């Protein structure tokens, strides 16, 4: 926020620059995070929204999608919270057979009144981002900044500059959180708005947690979401994470960042189910800081209409003896565009790294497009790394086989597609949550069959 | 086994900095003034006695080049090139135009002897039922000798320096030059269009199967010269040709620039097999000197059922930046890319291919084997794309990397883009070092560590070596062993 800022190139960037000037001091954290925000804002203004000229955004033009910058969502009023509470149960019913602890966010802001805060077990601390920043120390701010992850990404810099809503969840060392924590995000406004959320989850040594992020949006308004989740996983800790972004309306943009770092012998398993809705960019930055850790990033992308969904992963092996797995399935119908970019970087010294990455896509229509870019960048010799990528249509022989046994073509297709995408959900360890995700995917396929 | 043993012996006999082809031959040469300007372009054009349209074509390229910027997306690093500090034209003094081999400077012929090029026809005529190879030798900027011309002419094949083709077959040159790699394709191709000096021109008439392998040997000799050759091969309907190029350069402390353009065109049912054994001087073990190999190679399968196959063995150059590509325009056309890229010392390789599927039922296959050793970086960068109308496009890609030593890097960057539901693309890549199990197995059977490594490396690249014409497979194997010296074992 000073003379160093480059002049904005588009009207959206100009609007964002003006918004920042106006909001800067009222954003949570005040002076404690002002430097962090300013640096991020300068970085964003210098780069502007990423275009396809930025290699990490080779297939997604955010600058074009962000032709205008929507007003930033203000914290919800008391009446709005009441209204959201009333429709919470219908809009986002509880998962079957999962006794989860709910954390409710409205327009990105943590609402304790709607959340199961009293049920939180010992050793679990939950605060809103604003509260955490107000009482937070330097360690918290550093953790939120996630140094070394996603550096140079303009969309993440924008999130850092504007981070407004979100929560900070701390699990003390050795605590095994039996009930999954389910973060439900709702949108209150029917007016078009921009939401910038930043949340932090810290697992102490040996802690265990299952975290589900579910977003719901039914009001048909256009949103520009730019939210980030930072996960810090200490030695021997285990985090299972499932993310189901909202199906926003066409014209919306949704950038969802996940920044994870793992210490020694830690385990991280993350699954994303994307069902389209405007432009979706899922980007994961993951780094192994300690040895003998394991991480798995899996997901399914079910896209139709003019959906554009971009999954970009950057996995950095810094420590030796770690294992990473990436496994993604995409089904693309009508004029949808799917993007998968996965990059595994093995730094010098990260010996005995074991990395495997797979991306499989099925195109159901001639108008659909799939772009795969699986990258390996390896600077250590004693490693085993591989990737595979396939694109094809449904197998004619399989279809014929199913039809020959009396299944109508539509049902045969649905069955084959179900088998194809369910394989990705098999990576979710929690059985009940896996069943829930499979049911969501089944719903998408059933809707397609009816259409 | 014999070949493996040869590899091992080779490794033993050569020490780290030995580059077999690093001799410099003192031949008087005729150079253009240093630096690049419209005058240089006109000078080159005048030297070649070119028609006006070609001079204008060059000048247009030069003017466009001035507005372009050097690409920086490849994973290579080098100090900025001063384009005004280069000679853009250098010809051996014995020009103009040797009528036959006897007129060629004997010193020059000795150079080729040292290189082991079968330039002298009598070698073949002397007996031994070997397959014959017609050679076009390009020394610095000028094509000095083309063999077997008469016999090729009998078959209707045109094989001559491109500077000659401009005069003898202007209609063909005019029609095809720049039709695959447009003048403004990229920075280095545009530079080449402005200042290209010579290269080979091949035209195979309809229905003719070229009676022998065609070959070009490129050598950069003169100091501070850039070599900008231009190759144009046209295979008319139903014809076939196999073409091989080999490259060497003397050892020098400073870097030399090589920016070539190769254009291939196949009409209906035609096939071109293009093989490269690239062994430019790679610089010493500290990265001093060596060739910058910035090359644009592209084939256009214009006709239905046509085929273009690229095979490359890349062992030389300080920096390699090349992506031999296929545009699969004709229905049922086929593109292939087989590559072995080896980097050692401080070499940087950024190479790969593009398979652009435009026609229906087109197929392509990519097999890439990268081996990095020493402190080198070896990148595979490839693109496979199917456009909206490319029904039933098929691609199979396999890129494997082998790492020898812990200070090298191996990278894989494929772009796989499908815009058609009937496209089937498969891509797989692996990176690993030579497995302990394999080494143990070989050693248990009495092989030394060096022999075992040589055996495994040979096995690793075998898929690609098999694609090379017989005569060059042996040579390529020798090159591989020389390139890996100092890192094996």
């Amino acid at each position: 926020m000073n003379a160093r800022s480059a002049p904005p190139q588009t009207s959206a960037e100009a609007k964002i620059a003006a918004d920042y000037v106006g909001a800067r001091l009222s954003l949570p954290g005040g002076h404690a995070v002002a430097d962090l925000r300013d640096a991020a804002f300068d970085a964003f203004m210098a780069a502007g929204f990423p275009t396809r000229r930025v290699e990490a955004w080779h297939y997604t033009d955010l600058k074009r999608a962000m032709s205008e910058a929507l007003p930033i969502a203000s914290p919800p009023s008391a009446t709005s919270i009441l209204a959201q509470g009333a429709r919470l149960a219908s809009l986002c019913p509880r998962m079957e057979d999962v006794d989860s602890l709910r954390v409710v966010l409205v327009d990105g802001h943590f609402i304790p009144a709607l959340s199961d805060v009293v049920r939180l077990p010992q050793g679990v601390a939950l605060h809103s981002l604003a509260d955490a920043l107000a009482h937070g120390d330097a360690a918290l701010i550093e953790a939120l900044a996630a140094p070394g992850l996603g550096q140079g990404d303009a969309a993440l810099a924008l999130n850092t500059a504007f981070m407004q809503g979100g929560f900070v969840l701390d699990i003390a060392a050795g605590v095994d959180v039996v009930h999954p924590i389910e973060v439900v995000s709702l949108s209150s406004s029917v007016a078009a708005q921009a939401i910038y959320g930043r949340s932090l989850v810290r697992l102490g040594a040996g802690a265990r947690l299952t975290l589900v992020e579910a977003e719901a949006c039914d009001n048909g308004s256009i949103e520009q979401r730019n939210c980030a989740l930072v996960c810090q996983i200490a030695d021997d800790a285990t985090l299972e994470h499932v993310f189901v972004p909202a199906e926003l309306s066409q014209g919306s943009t949704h950038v969802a960042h996940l920044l994870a770092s793992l210490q020694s012998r830690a385990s991280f398993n993350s699954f994303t189910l994307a069902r389209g809705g405007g432009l979706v960019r899922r980007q994961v930055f993951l780094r192994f800081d300690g040895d003998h850790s394991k991480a798995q990033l899996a997901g399914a992308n079910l896209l139709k209409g003019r959906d554009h969904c971009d999954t970009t992963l950057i996995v950095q092996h810094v420590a030796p003896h770690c294992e990473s797995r990436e496994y993604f399935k995409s089904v693309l119908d009508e004029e949808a565009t799917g993007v998968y970019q996965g990059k595994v970087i093995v730094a010098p010294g990260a010996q005995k790294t074991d990395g495997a990455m797979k991306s499989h896509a099925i195109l159901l229509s001639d108008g659909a497009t799939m772009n795969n870019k699986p990258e390996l960048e390896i600077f250590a010799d004693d490693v085993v790394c591989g990737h595979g990528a396939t694109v094809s249509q449904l197998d004619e022989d399989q279809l014929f086989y199913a039809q020959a046994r009396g299944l109508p073509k539509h049902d045969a297709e649905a069955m084959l597609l179900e088998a194809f995408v369910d394989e990705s959900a098999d990576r979710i360890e929690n059985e009940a949550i896996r069943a829930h995700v499979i049911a969501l995917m089944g719903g998408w396929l059933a809707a397609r069959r009816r259409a | 086994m014999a070949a493996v043993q040869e590899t091992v012996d080779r490794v033993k006999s050569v020490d780290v900095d030995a580059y077999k082809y690093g001799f410099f031959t003192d031949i008087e040469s005729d150079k253009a003034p240093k630096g690049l300007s419209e005058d240089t372009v006109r000078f080159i054009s005048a030297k070649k006695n070119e028609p006006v349209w070609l001079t204008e074509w060059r000048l247009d390229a030069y003017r466009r080049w001035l507005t372009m910027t050097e690409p920086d997306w490849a994973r290579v690093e080098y100090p900025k090139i001063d384009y005004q500090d280069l000679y853009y034209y250098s010809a051996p003094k014995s020009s103009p135009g040797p009528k036959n081999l006897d007129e060629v400077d004997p010193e020059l012929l000795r150079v080729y002897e040292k290189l082991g090029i079968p330039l002298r026809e009598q070698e073949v005529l002397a007996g031994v039922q070997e397959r014959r190879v017609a050679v076009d030798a390009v020394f610095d900027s000028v094509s000095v000798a083309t063999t077997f011309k008469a016999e090729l002419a009998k078959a209707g094949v045109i094989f001559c320096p491109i500077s000659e083709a401009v005069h003898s077959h202007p209609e063909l040159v005019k029609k095809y030059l720049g039709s695959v790699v447009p003048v403004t394709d990229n920075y280095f191709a545009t530079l080449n269009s402005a200042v290209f000096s010579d290269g080979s021109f091949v035209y195979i008439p309809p229905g003719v199967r070229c009676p022998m392998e065609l070959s070009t040997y490129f050598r950069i000799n003169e100091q501070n010269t850039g070599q900008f050759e231009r190759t144009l091969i046209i295979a008319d309907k139903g014809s076939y040709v196999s073409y091989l190029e080999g490259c060497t350069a003397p050892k020098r402390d400073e870097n030399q620039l090589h920016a070539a353009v190769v254009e291939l065109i196949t009409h209906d049912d035609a096939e071109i097999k293009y093989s490269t054994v690239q062994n430019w001087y790679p610089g010493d073990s500290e990265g001093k000197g060596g060739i910058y190999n910035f090359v644009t190679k592209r084939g256009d399968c214009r006709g239905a059922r046509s085929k273009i196959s690229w095979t490359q063995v890349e062992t030389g150059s300080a920096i390699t930046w090349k992506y031999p590509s296929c545009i699969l325009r004709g229905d049922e056309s086929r593109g292939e890319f087989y590559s072995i890229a080896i980097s050692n010392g401080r070499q940087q390789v950024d190479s790969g291919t593009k398979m652009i599927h435009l026609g229906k039922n087109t197929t392509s296959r990519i097999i890439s084997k990268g081996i990095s050793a020493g402190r080198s970086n070896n990148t595979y960068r490839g693109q496979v794309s199917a456009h909206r109308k490319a029904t039933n496009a098929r691609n199979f890609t396999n890129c494997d990397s082998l790492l020898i030593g812990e200070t090298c890097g191996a990278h894989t960057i494929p772009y796989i883009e499908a815009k058609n539901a009937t496209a089937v693309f498969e891509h797989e890549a692996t990176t690993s070092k030579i497995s302990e199990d394999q080494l143990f197995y070989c050693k248990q059977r009495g092989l030394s560590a060096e022999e075992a490594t040589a055996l495994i490396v040979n096995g690793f690249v075998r898929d690609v070596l098999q694609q090379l014409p017989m005569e060059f497979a042996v040579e390529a194997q020798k090159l591989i062993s020389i390139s890996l010296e100092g890192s094996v074992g």
Side-chain angles (χ1 to χ4, degrees), chain A residues 433-445:
Chain A
I433 296 174
R434 186 196 312 148
H436 173 72
V437 168
I438 288 177
L440 289 178
M441 299 197 294
W444 187 90
L445 291 171

Side-chain angles (χ1 to χ4, degrees), chain B residues 408-446:
Chain B
C408 55
H411 320 294
T412 314
I413 310 174
Y415 297 73
I416 307 152
E417 303 166 359
K419 285 201 168 79
N420 187 295
T422 55
V424 175
F425 288 171
E426 294 166 272
H427 172 98
E428 59 179 42
T430 63
T431 304
S432 59
K433 72 167 192 171
I434 294 175
S435 93
E436 298 291 340
D437 292 350
Q438 287 174 345
L439 272 180
F440 177 74
Y441 181 90
C442 296
K443 285 204 277 193
Q444 207 188 24
R445 267 141 196 83

Side-chain angles (χ1 to χ4, degrees), chain A residues 55 59 370 372 374 376-377 385, chain B residues 75 412 414-418 431:
Chain A
E55 185 57 28
Y59 296 106
M370 181 70 201
N372 270 314
L376 289 171
E377 201 171 287
C385 284
Chain B
R75 178 179 273 283
T412 314
Y415 297 73
I416 307 152
E417 303 166 359
T431 304

Side-chain angles (χ1 to χ4, degrees), chain A residues 23-294:
Chain A
R24 182 169 173 261
L25 288 175
S26 58
L27 287 167
H31 291 291
V33 284
D35 288 348
L36 179 65
R37 289 185 192 275
D38 285 352
F41 177 75
D42 287 342
F44 171 76
M45 290 313 290
F49 281 111
T51 65
R52 296 188 54 176
R53 287 179 169 274
V54 177
E55 185 57 28
W57 291 77
H58 191 73
Y59 296 106
T60 301
D61 191 339
L62 194 60
K63 190 177 284 245
R64 220 171 81 186
M66 295 286 290
S67 54
E68 65 167 327
L70 298 175
I72 302 166
S74 45
S77 64
T79 37
S80 161
I81 290 172
L82 275 178
Q84 295 308 314
R87 64 192 200 111
L88 179 60
S90 62
L91 186 58
C92 206
R94 289 203 175 251
M95 290 182 275
E96 248 177 76
D97 300 325
V98 185
D99 184 12
S100 62
L101 301 165
R102 278 200 156 173
V103 174
V104 177
L105 308 180
V106 174
D107 298 337
H109 293 270
F110 171 46
I111 310 295
L114 299 178
S115 307
D116 296 331
V117 278
V118 289
R119 288 179 60 210
L120 289 177
Q122 197 98 45
V124 177
L126 178 64
H127 301 283
S128 71
L129 178 77
D131 284 353
L133 283 176
H135 305 105
D137 44 17
L140 175 92
I141 293 170
E142 194 187 335
L144 268 174
L149 290 170
Q151 261 170 348
D153 187 80
L156 182 63
L158 185 63
N159 177 280
T160 308
F162 280 97
M163 58 181 173
Q164 188 189 22
F167 60 89
V168 174
L169 176 66
D170 281 299
I171 315 292
V175 172
D176 182 354
V177 186
V178 181
H179 300 290
I181 291 183
E182 184 187 7
V183 180
V184 179
S185 296
L186 305 174
S187 309
S188 66
S189 173
V190 286
Q193 58 178 3
I195 295 173
Y196 296 96
R198 181 92 146 209
S199 299
L200 170 65
V201 175
R202 286 187 285 195
L203 270 69
R208 299 177 76 87
L209 173 70
T210 301
L211 179 73
V212 178
E213 285 185 279
E215 295 180 340
C217 179
D218 68 339
N219 50 23
S221 67
I222 290 182
E223 277 186 23
Q224 289 173 347
R225 272 188 201 228
N226 184 336
C227 295
L229 176 69
V230 182
C231 298
Q232 281 194 344
I233 306 165
D235 292 351
D236 303 293
T238 300
L239 175 60
E240 173 153 52
H241 171 241
V242 173
F243 176 48
V244 184
E247 291 174 74
L248 298 177
S249 47
Q250 285 300 329
S252 299
T253 58
H254 190 171
V255 185
H257 317 264
L258 173 63
L259 300 91
S261 55
L262 283 75
Q263 297 299 321
S264 298
R265 298 170 305 280
S267 165
F268 179 52
N269 184 12
S270 174
F271 181 91
T272 302
L273 169 62
R275 289 165 297 169
L279 181 150
V280 181
R281 161 89 168 190
R282 172 62 165 164
Q283 49 182 9
V284 181
F285 302 96
L286 185 143
R287 189 180 62 228
F288 291 97
D289 289 328
D291 49 30
H292 292 94
S293 287
K294 286 182 181 185

